[in-house]
């Protein structure tokens, strides 16, 4: 039986994620931190994870702290752990594999061993901090084994796991050595949350066919354990983002850009510099638009903001070099004395500046080759002026495409189709832009960030309070 809502609300939330914080700057940093910090604060919660520091000698005793009524417990990573666990298994193995990029996946056994050790070290350090009726919410692919390790420490709390990135299809996951151990570890949790119904389907397909799991409604049983599985698409703080776009720094950016554009149309892309985001294909699609629609030349600009990420991983250095070459070639071929077709910017902007940039642009170009959700697509819509909104061109392979059907949905591998969608977006009549935007905004408001969090926690609260330890 589930606990009464009043009592349930008072249960403490414990979040475990690879990175902890920021707590005080959460509103500025935006995204998930806001939702998690809010829930942690409400319940006097605890946030556990990596401190972000890499040290020669590390302690297994967590650093304890407090910020804004939230307790923090962090561990440093050793140089070897950072290399093999974080850069290695997380970013060179699970990240590409879960984004369907077998060719970029580094299948090193010692990476997985380091991953197991770090997950165990985290669980060991954080288990003593847990109280019997805590709700423990573990986030993302860095910590899949954490639940199993917590159970091994005797933890009987309600344990939930949320995967922010896609769950791969069976044939892809089977290429990973030790995939059976990784999947079995998921059954230590009480609730498994994915971004989309499609991710849930792929998970069920895998466990039903490879692990002999029994599926009944949202319950899946294997390895003697039963978990509840569901799609909980991540949303954004819509009202907060609208405010950013229409005041302060956002408003200033919007004015400045609109002035500079002097009547030209602006396409904007905002992504971490990552090979999953489809940036090279996107640049080429834009070049194709300029090639096949010469009348667009001089009348449109494309601004791609892409701050470098994971610089220590070789595949990221490669994509960076490729994009620099492509941007140079496109500008070299099409630029005029008074017109630069592509502005490629490798720095991060504040969320308020981004909101203003989105609002000033006529087309939001979001074409990942594969993405768990993609919050930029949602932020772009929230920043628009409803009376004269821009058009979202969105990849069918972003989780967001499952909710945002009123966008212009494209296949990012089909450069001809993307170029044509850009041309369609350029000419879309005001009424159609308004209708599409209104529908997209309705969807965003209905399933926002708070709803995502509350829906997941509501299911987690129903987990049996004291389940058998592993
Ligand atoms: P990411 O891969 O980081 O997230 P995304 O969902 O687009 O991708 O979120 C990126 C966030 O960073 C957005 O809030 C965006 O505004 C911000 N950002 C991007 N570029 C920026 C820049 N130049 N300057 C400042 N801010 C910038 C992972 C998964 C996604 C999933 C999210 C949330 O890969 O699929 O949607 O988690 O679950």
């Amino acid at each position: 039986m589930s606990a009464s809502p009043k009592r349930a609300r008072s249960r403490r939330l414990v979040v475990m994620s690879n990175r902890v914080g920021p707590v005080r700057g959460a509103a500025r940093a935006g995204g998930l931190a806001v939702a998690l910090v809010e829930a942690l604060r409400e319940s006097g919660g605890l946030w556990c994870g990596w401190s972000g520091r890499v040290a020669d000698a590390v302690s297994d005793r967590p650093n304890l702290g407090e910020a804004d009524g939230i307790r923090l417990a962090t561990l440093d990573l050793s140089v070897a752990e950072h290399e093999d666990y974080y850069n290695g298994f997380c970013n060179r193995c699970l990240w590409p594999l879960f984004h369907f990029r077998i060719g970029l996946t580094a299948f090193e056994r010692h990476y997985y061993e380091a991953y197991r050790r770090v997950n165990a070290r985290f669980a060991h350090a954080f288990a003593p901090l847990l109280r019997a009726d805590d709700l423990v919410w573990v986030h993302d692919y860095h910590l899949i084994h954490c639940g199993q390790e917590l159970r091994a420490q005797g933890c009987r709390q309600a344990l939930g796991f949320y995967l922010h990135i896609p769950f791969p299809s069976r044939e892809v996951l089977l290429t990973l050595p030790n995939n059976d151990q990784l999947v079995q570890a998921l059954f230590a949790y009480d609730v498994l949350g994915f971004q989309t119904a499609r991710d849930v389907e792929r998970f069920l397909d895998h466990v039903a066919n490879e692990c002999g799991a029994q599926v009944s409604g949202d319950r899946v049983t294997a390895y003697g354990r039963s978990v509840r599985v569901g799609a909980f698409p991540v949303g954004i703080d819509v009202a907060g983002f609208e405010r950013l776009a229409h005041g302060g720094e956002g408003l200033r950016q919007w004015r400045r850009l609109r002035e500079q554009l002097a009547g030209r149309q602006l396409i904007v892309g905002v992504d971490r510099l990552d090979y999953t985001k489809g940036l090279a294909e996107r640049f080429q699609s834009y070049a194709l638009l300029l090639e096949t629609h010469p009348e667009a030349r001089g009348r449109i600009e494309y601004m791609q903001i892409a701050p470098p990420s994971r610089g220590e991983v070789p595949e990221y250095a490669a994509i960076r070099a490729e994009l620099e070459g492509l941007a140079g070639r496109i500008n070299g071929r099409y630029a005029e004395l008074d017109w630069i077709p592509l502005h490629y910017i490798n720095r991060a902007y504040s969320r308020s500046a981004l909101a203003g940039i989105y609002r000033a642009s006529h087309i939001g170009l979001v074409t990942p080759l594969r993405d768990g959700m993609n919050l930029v697509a949602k932020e772009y819509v929230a920043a628009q002026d409803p009376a004269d909104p821009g058009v979202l061109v969105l990849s069918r392979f972003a989780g967001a495409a499952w909710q945002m059907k009123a966008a212009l949905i494209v296949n990012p591998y089909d450069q001809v189709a993307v170029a044509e969608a850009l041309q369609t977006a350029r000419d879309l009549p005001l009424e159609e832009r308004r209708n599409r935007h209104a529908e997209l905004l309705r969807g965003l408001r209905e399933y926002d960030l708070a709803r995502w969090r509350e829906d997941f926690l509501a299911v987690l609260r129903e987990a049996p309070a004291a389940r058998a330890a592993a």
Side-chain angles (χ1 to χ4, degrees):
M1 218 175 74
S2 56
S4 78
K6 193 154 184 287
R7 199 183 112 58
R9 280 206 76 76
S10 68
R11 285 171 74 182
R12 185 174 75 154
L13 174 64
V14 178
V15 168
M16 292 193 188
S17 58
N18 177 54
R19 287 297 291 271
V20 170
V23 172
R24 291 215 171 83
R28 240 175 310 125
L32 299 177
V34 184
L36 296 175
V37 162
E38 225 173 76
L40 284 164
R41 204 182 282 130
E42 270 171 27
S43 71
L46 168 67
W47 195 348
C48 309
W50 176 32
S51 62
R53 283 188 297 270
V54 180
D56 287 329
V58 294
S59 159
D60 285 333
R61 292 245 310 274
N63 315 302
L64 299 177
E66 207 238 274
D68 268 2
I70 299 171
R71 293 181 61 207
L72 307 174
T74 58
L75 286 175
D76 300 343
L77 290 181
S78 73
V79 176
E81 284 171 342
H82 184 251
E83 189 49 32
D84 294 342
Y85 151 77
Y86 183 66
N87 285 334
F89 198 69
C90 293
N91 289 336
R92 295 195 69 204
C93 186
L94 288 182
W95 176 267
L97 191 81
F98 278 42
H99 287 86
F100 294 67
R101 301 294 289 271
I102 300 176
L104 294 178
T105 302
F107 297 100
E108 303 274 355
R109 292 290 169 131
H110 69 281
Y111 285 172
Y112 181 59
E113 287 154 18
Y115 181 83
R116 294 290 303 258
R117 280 197 304 276
V118 171
N119 273 246
R121 204 179 135 227
F122 275 34
H124 223 274
F126 301 137
L129 306 177
L130 300 183
R131 298 178 193 150
D133 70 343
D134 279 347
L135 295 169
V136 182
W137 191 1
V138 179
H139 285 262
D140 228 359
Y141 62 102
H142 313 86
L143 299 178
I144 289 175
H145 274 283
C146 221
Q148 191 182 45
E149 298 291 351
L150 286 170
R151 297 279 185 232
Q153 298 297 309
C155 294
R156 299 164 70 172
Q157 287 80 357
L159 291 186
F161 176 80
Y162 187 79
L163 185 68
H164 290 264
I165 63 176
F167 193 84
S169 65
R170 180 150 62 111
E171 297 299 320
V172 170
L173 186 50
L174 285 176
T175 63
L176 177 72
N178 307 111
N179 66 80
D180 46 347
Q181 291 174 47
L182 198 76
V183 174
Q184 180 172 356
L186 287 170
F187 283 84
Y189 295 97
D190 297 296
V191 181
L192 297 176
F194 298 91
Q195 295 274 22
T196 69
R198 199 52 180 268
D199 296 295
V200 172
E201 252 173 48
R202 287 192 290 255
F203 172 75
L204 295 180
D205 175 53
H206 186 97
V207 296
N209 290 292
E210 303 297 332
C211 316
Q214 300 297 315
V215 181
S216 161
D218 70 348
R219 250 184 209 290
V220 189
T221 307
Y223 308 106
R225 293 174 173 279
S226 169
V227 296
R228 284 180 74 185
V229 176
F232 302 87
V234 169
I236 63 165
D237 170 13
V238 182
F241 213 81
E242 282 170 332
R243 273 197 300 279
L244 287 182
H246 289 82
E249 172 66 10
L251 186 62
R252 272 194 295 282
Q253 280 289 350
W254 173 73
R255 282 212 187 102
R256 227 187 67 194
L257 261 175
R258 279 287 163 116
E259 235 166 68
Q260 278 171 9
L261 283 167
R264 284 180 181 137
Q265 287 184 312
L266 178 66
I267 303 175
V268 74
V270 173
D271 309 75
R272 268 186 315 99
L273 212 172
D274 193 296
Y275 49 77
T276 62
K277 303 291 181 184
L279 292 169
E281 291 78 0
R282 203 182 297 178
F283 282 14
Q284 274 154 346
S285 301
Y286 176 63
L288 200 59
L289 171 78
L290 299 178
E291 193 55 43
T292 53
H293 292 276
E295 73 284 3
R297 294 181 204 164
R299 299 172 68 187
I300 194 158
E301 284 178 16
Y302 169 22
M303 184 196 289
Q304 177 62 53
I305 298 175
S309 66
R310 305 176 189 172
E312 291 156 345
V313 176
E315 291 76 17
Y316 286 76
I319 180 76
R320 192 169 179 184
E322 184 188 356
L323 291 173
E324 278 163 11
L326 259 175
R329 283 199 290 283
I330 292 171
N331 280 332
R333 168 140 172 67
Y334 297 103
E336 301 282 350
L337 283 178
D338 58 353
W339 174 61
I340 297 173
L342 171 56
H343 300 260
Y344 176 46
I345 303 169
N346 289 133
R347 54 163 282 205
Y349 282 85
S350 69
R351 290 179 62 69
S352 39
L354 279 186
I357 296 169
Y358 291 143
R359 186 181 160 202
S361 70
H362 303 82
I363 300 173
L365 188 53
V366 184
T367 54
L369 302 179
R370 189 70 63 171
D371 215 327
M373 176 53 58
N374 196 298
L375 296 178
V376 170
K378 296 188 171 183
E379 293 167 355
Y380 179 79
V381 169
Q384 297 308 302
D385 179 351
D388 184 15
V391 180
L392 176 65
V393 176
L394 178 62
S395 162
R396 60 176 299 176
F397 299 117
W402 291 85
Q403 294 174 300
M404 305 181 82
K405 298 204 162 76
L408 296 183
I409 304 289
V410 293
N411 172 1
Y413 295 94
D414 185 348
Q415 287 158 20
V416 175
V418 175
E420 282 313 311
L422 286 172
Q423 181 60 20
T424 305
R426 289 186 64 215
D427 292 338
L428 214 60
L430 178 63
E431 198 186 339
E432 185 171 350
R433 281 193 277 127
R434 280 188 185 154
N435 291 342
R436 285 176 181 268
H437 176 258
E439 193 179 327
L440 290 170
L441 198 59
R442 216 174 13 254
L444 289 195
R445 291 209 170 105
E446 198 180 308
Y447 207 99
D448 67 359
L449 190 56
R451 168 97 185 267
W452 165 73
R453 179 189 75 203
E454 289 313 315
D455 275 8
F456 185 91
L457 290 177
V459 181
L460 187 56
R461 281 188 196 105
E462 288 169 8
R467 58 178 281 171

